[in-house]
Amino acid sequence: MESLHPPGNKACRSSRFLEGILIEGQGKNFDGVAFHDYEFYSGALGQYSNLNWNSRWNSTGPSLLAKIRYLKSLLLTYQVEGKFLISTENAILCDLCQNNPIFEETKAIFLVQVYTISLSEGLWGNLWHRVGDWRNSGLMNPDLTPRPAYLAFKYMSHTLEGYRF
């Protein structure tokens, strides 16, 4: 049930675009950094990875943490301060997991982890990629009934409202 790593012959290596901006001394010309974060289901309950970021459920946790720390380090290296970070797309993907209850439970587990990391690392925001479906990442079924990850999101949003680390 594992998704392709990387998907569709795409080389998902991290871009050097932001570093180029910083090298050119243009850190003053933007307010924040938006980025995407995706994991790939590894075929068992709670298991996922993103090999492009050397992340795994059982060692590093979501690649979101590695990306946040990389971006913070890059900004610090070029002495750029006061920039917000926002994950504008976040999800766990599995092309072969339609109607797979183990994947759906894993998605809920993953969602709790990434939203907790987002809060603890001070992200400006973290947006789940879709309510509807794309590569089985959606929070809702086509008939708009909630999947387990949506219920986890709803519970977390009420439980952690106003909470600060």
Side-chain angles (χ1 to χ4, degrees):
M1 295 290 169
E2 191 168 345
S3 287
L4 301 173
H5 289 276
N9 297 323
K10 183 178 179 184
C12 297
R13 305 213 190 296
S14 59
S15 173
R16 305 284 306 265
F17 180 76
L18 177 59
E19 189 170 16
I21 291 170
L22 298 173
I23 287 170
E24 293 300 318
Q26 299 302 310
K28 63 188 176 298
N29 293 323
F30 62 91
D31 296 324
V33 179
F35 63 98
H36 299 170
D37 182 61
Y38 292 97
E39 300 286 341
F40 302 92
Y41 179 56
S42 297
L45 180 62
Q47 297 183 12
Y48 57 82
S49 65
N50 182 325
L51 301 180
N52 294 304
W53 284 87
N54 296 315
S55 68
R56 289 181 174 70
W57 84 97
N58 62 348
S59 57
T60 61
S63 61
L64 178 68
L65 188 56
K67 289 182 179 187
I68 292 168
R69 290 182 177 168
Y70 166 76
L71 291 168
K72 285 180 176 181
S73 173
L74 192 60
L75 292 169
L76 184 63
T77 297
Y78 292 94
Q79 301 173 343
V80 175
E81 298 177 353
K83 305 300 180 181
F84 66 81
L85 299 179
I86 182 170
S87 175
T88 55
E89 290 184 19
N90 197 288
I92 185 169
L93 309 175
C94 181
D95 293 322
L96 306 173
C97 291
Q98 189 172 9
N99 300 317
N100 180 328
I102 303 300
F103 171 68
E104 293 299 331
E105 190 172 345
T106 298
K107 191 189 322 178
I109 292 166
F110 173 75
L111 183 140
V112 170
Q113 292 172 348
V114 297
Y115 278 91
T116 303
I117 289 169
S118 299
L119 187 59
S120 70
E121 291 292 318
L123 284 191
W124 201 49
N126 185 2
L127 307 173
W128 194 262
H129 180 62
R130 289 183 178 222
V131 171
D133 232 359
W134 175 70
R135 299 181 73 183
N136 297 302
S137 66
L139 299 178
M140 300 281 228
N141 292 306
D143 65 358
L144 298 181
T145 56
R147 292 180 178 175
Y150 174 81
L151 299 174
F153 177 81
K154 184 177 177 181
Y155 178 79
M156 282 191 60
S157 66
H158 292 294
T159 302
L160 297 177
E161 184 177 0
Y163 188 82
R164 299 287 179 258
F165 276 85

